[in-house]
Amino acid sequence: MAQLQITLIVSDENRAAAAAVYAKYKQEFLDGAAGATSKHLLIRSEDVQVLHVFDTVENANAYLTSELFTNDVVRELSPLLDAAPEVRIYDEV
């Protein structure tokens, strides 16, 4: 198992719009991203984190270059962000 964590700095006024992007693409991610098993939205006052779970690190890395991620998710989220996202991939042992 592998976890892709994407941390986003989103102002309070843009959080609802960012959550809408998450909801819009969640099922498409689960149905279409190779090895995807779950996706969760975590919110705290400092930031928002999207946690993606995959079967392998390779599939997590592949998602970052997929059409769904680059052409859809990034395109819609970018105007809502206050800083560049922080992306980390963890391999579960």
Side-chain angles (χ1 to χ4, degrees), residues 27-40:
Q27 195 58 51
E28 188 173 348
F29 165 79
L30 293 171
D31 293 342
T37 61
S38 67
K39 184 176 182 179
H40 308 278

Side-chain angles (χ1 to χ4, degrees), residues 8 16 25 41 56-57 61-63 71 76 88-89:
L8 310 170
Y25 292 108
L41 182 63
T56 65
V57 168
N61 273 310
Y63 173 66
N71 293 343
E76 290 190 35
R88 295 180 179 167
I89 296 176

Side-chain angles (χ1 to χ4, degrees), residues 75-88:
R75 179 181 49 81
E76 290 190 35
L77 275 179
S78 290
L80 305 173
L81 303 179
D82 294 337
E86 183 177 312
V87 178
R88 295 180 179 167

